[in-house]
């Protein structure tokens, strides 16, 4: 859990650095600080100097790793790197003096007696220690930068893939043979009964197709535009199910200038229709509104079909993935015995292309 949390902050798992880095740096420090003593007493004397260096290196590594994590957590963005590094340098100097003083009056005497090693009282030791701390911090920052760069590339690739999948999902939901069959079947019944309604149906059908083609390259779309498109889609569905399909849209004008993932409402409506019974006895009711937290919600009464249609299970997940990558916000789902609710975050400003 500790390393997983650190990985989410730094962008990489640094366990290998702890396992390899602490023993290696300890060895280097022994050579730099006690090099003369080793040359005089022989390599065998390393067993006396190395344990002391290992203990101090471990303590300082853990302390400054924690300090670095806090700075990365407080100033995580790439454009904040300069500020973060400057603050880290200042904190390293202050904390080093504090830790050094604490160790001098607590652990150092015990370690000296245990290992029978007395450190030289010169400026050499603190200078070497600080040099190693700044070097290790630089390595951490470089690996973090590379990891975040790689993650950014992967997320851009995933976004492009998800956008394409969204287009395919939206087109599939509208153009698949089952949907076309139902739409043409509805139209065939309307033409002899009411030419005016048939013409309105064809007009709404064309609006649905045109909208999908127009927004195919947009990561986010105005909620106002999405709701306008939804009306055309609802018209088609109501011609099929009549009063057995009931929709209530209650969104204040202030929220209509916010943005959402395109086709998300249509996909949620399609899912509700696909998985629930729609009949005179059990009409499907869908409500679209904004909750107290400022999230758009789509709620439908839950009356699952006894024999559900085959599902690809990628519609809702596609919406979740795009929201995560574009906005970093989650899409929440709440299911009870009577209702199914999806909460979509509203984005105030669309990202620059």
């Amino acid at each position: 859990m500790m390393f997983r949390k650190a990985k989410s902050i730094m962008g990489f798992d640094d366990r290998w650095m702890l396992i390899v880095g602490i023993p290696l740096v300890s060895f280097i420090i022994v050579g730099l600080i006690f090099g003369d003593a080793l040359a005089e007493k022989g390599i065998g004397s390393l067993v006396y100097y190395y344990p002391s260096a290992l203990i101090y290196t471990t303590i300082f590594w853990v302390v400054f790793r924690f300090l670095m994590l806090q700075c990365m957590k407080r100033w995580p963005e790439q454009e904040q790197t300069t500020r973060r590094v400057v603050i880290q340098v200042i904190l390293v100097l202050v904390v080093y003096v504090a830790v050094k003083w604490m160790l001098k009056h607590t652990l150092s005497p015990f370690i000296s007696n245990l290992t029978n090693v007395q450190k030289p009282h010169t400026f050499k030791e603190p200078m070497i220690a600080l040099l190693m701390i700044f070097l290790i911090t630089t390595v951490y920052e470089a690996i973090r930068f590379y990891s975040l760069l790689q993650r950014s590339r992967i997320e851009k690739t995933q976004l492009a893939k998800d956008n394409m999948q969204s287009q395919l999902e939206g087109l599939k939901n509208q153009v698949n043979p089952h949907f076309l069959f139902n739409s043409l079947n509805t139209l065939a019944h309307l033409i002899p009964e009411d030419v005016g309604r048939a013409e309105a149906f064809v007009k709404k059908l064309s609006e649905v197709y045109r909208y999908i083609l127009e927004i195919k390259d947009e990561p986010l779309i105005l909620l106002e535009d999405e709701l306008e498109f939804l009306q055309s889609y609802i018209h088609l569905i109501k011609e099929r199910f009549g009063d057995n399909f009931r929709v209530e849209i209650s969104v204040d004008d202030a929220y209509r200038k916010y943005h959402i993932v395109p086709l998300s409402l249509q996909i949620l409506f399609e899912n509700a229709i696909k998985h629930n019974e729609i009949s005179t006895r059990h009409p499907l009711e869908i409500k679209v509104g904004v909750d107290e937290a400022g999230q758009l919600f789509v709620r439908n009464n839950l009356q699952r079909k006894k024999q559900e249609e085959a599902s690809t299970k990628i519609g809702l997940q596609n919406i979740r993935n795009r929201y995560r990558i574009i906005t970093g916000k989650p899409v929440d789902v709440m299911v009870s015995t009577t209702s199914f609710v999806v909460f979509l975050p509203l984005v105030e400003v669309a990202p620059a292309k």
Side-chain angles (χ1 to χ4, degrees):
M1 177 66 77
M2 178 182 67
F3 286 103
R4 191 181 303 127
K5 185 176 181 181
K7 181 179 179 181
S8 68
I9 296 173
M10 293 187 292
F12 69 99
D13 190 342
D14 71 325
R15 271 179 287 194
W16 64 271
M17 289 188 67
L18 295 172
I19 295 171
V20 177
I22 292 177
L24 179 61
V25 171
S26 300
F27 185 83
I28 294 173
I29 288 177
V30 169
L32 293 174
I33 296 179
F34 301 104
D36 294 337
L38 287 172
E40 180 182 341
K41 298 179 181 181
I43 194 66
S45 62
L46 186 65
V47 296
Y48 299 103
Y49 298 105
Y50 187 78
S52 174
L54 186 63
I55 293 172
Y56 282 107
T57 301
T58 302
I59 292 172
F60 280 105
W61 194 302
V62 171
V63 169
F64 288 106
R65 176 181 180 272
F66 174 79
L67 185 69
M68 186 166 47
L69 281 172
Q70 297 308 308
C71 289
M72 288 180 177
K73 185 177 180 180
R74 176 64 179 84
W75 299 284
E77 304 299 334
Q78 286 298 118
E79 56 268 23
Q80 296 175 319
T81 300
T82 302
R83 180 193 301 179
R84 182 175 67 248
V85 170
V86 170
I87 293 174
Q88 278 184 211
V89 170
I90 297 173
L91 289 176
V92 162
L93 295 173
V94 174
V95 174
Y96 176 80
V97 173
V99 174
K100 187 71 175 172
W101 183 87
M102 291 175 62
L103 290 176
K104 180 180 179 181
H105 294 85
T106 55
L107 195 59
S108 291
F110 174 77
I111 294 176
S112 296
N113 293 331
L114 184 66
T115 59
N116 198 28
V117 171
Q118 298 295 326
K119 290 182 292 183
H121 296 286
T122 65
F123 286 103
K124 185 179 180 180
E125 182 208 344
M127 292 301 294
I128 291 174
L130 287 172
L131 178 63
M132 295 305 297
I133 291 170
F134 287 129
L135 179 61
I136 293 168
T137 301
T138 302
V139 172
Y140 265 90
E141 285 286 349
I143 297 176
R144 180 178 187 270
F145 176 81
Y146 178 78
S147 299
L148 293 179
L149 183 63
Q150 290 296 103
R151 182 190 297 178
S152 176
R153 289 175 179 172
I154 292 172
E155 287 183 345
K156 286 180 180 179
T157 302
Q158 184 64 39
L159 176 58
K161 180 180 178 181
D162 280 342
N163 278 333
M164 180 171 290
Q165 184 62 61
S166 174
Q167 298 165 31
L168 294 175
E169 181 72 13
L171 290 170
K172 182 188 68 177
N173 286 336
Q174 300 299 330
V175 187
N176 63 59
H178 185 254
F179 177 82
L180 275 178
F181 173 80
N182 288 327
S183 298
L184 294 176
N185 190 46
T186 302
L187 183 61
H189 283 85
L190 285 176
I191 291 174
E193 294 180 2
D194 192 326
V195 175
R197 285 175 60 193
E199 290 178 351
F201 186 88
V202 172
K203 181 180 178 181
K204 294 297 181 182
L205 192 60
S206 67
E207 290 176 357
V208 166
Y209 289 128
R210 184 173 66 249
Y211 178 82
I212 293 173
L213 294 174
E214 287 177 350
I215 56 89
K216 64 184 179 69
D217 295 323
E218 299 294 332
L220 293 172
I221 197 73
L222 276 172
L223 175 57
E224 185 176 44
D225 295 338
E226 187 80 355
L227 290 175
E228 184 178 347
F229 153 74
L230 191 64
Q231 292 295 345
S232 299
Y233 177 75
I234 291 171
H235 182 94
L236 301 180
I237 302 303
K238 287 187 72 67
E239 285 291 354
R240 177 182 168 191
F241 294 107
D243 293 335
N244 299 329
F245 182 72
R246 303 169 187 175
V247 179
E248 178 185 348
I249 298 177
S250 179
V251 178
D252 291 340
D253 291 342
Y255 292 107
R256 292 174 178 259
K257 297 302 180 183
Y258 283 69
H259 298 77
I260 65 170
V261 168
L263 297 180
S264 54
L265 295 180
Q266 181 268 332
I267 291 174
L268 295 178
F269 269 59
E270 185 72 19
N271 285 346
I273 295 168
K274 181 185 297 183
H275 298 296
N276 290 279
E277 178 184 347
I278 305 177
S279 63
T280 303
R281 185 177 178 181
H282 298 102
L284 179 63
E285 299 177 352
I286 302 179
K287 181 175 181 179
V288 180
V290 178
D291 65 10
E292 295 179 355
Q295 294 186 108
L296 188 73
F297 67 83
V298 179
R299 178 192 296 119
N300 66 267
N301 53 327
L302 202 58
Q303 44 200 34
R304 298 190 184 277
K305 293 179 179 178
K306 294 181 180 179
Q307 293 183 340
E308 291 192 25
E309 298 179 32
S311 173
T312 59
K313 300 185 182 299
I314 62 175
L316 181 57
Q317 189 58 46
N318 176 272
I319 297 173
R320 279 176 160 158
N321 288 342
R322 285 189 291 154
Y323 262 107
R324 176 181 57 82
I325 295 172
I326 297 172
T327 70
K329 298 180 180 179
V331 172
D332 296 322
V333 176
M334 185 173 67
V335 184
S336 69
T337 55
T338 58
S339 65
F340 186 91
V341 190
V342 178
F343 298 90
L344 301 177
L346 291 173
V347 183
E348 189 169 4
V349 180
K353 293 183 180 180

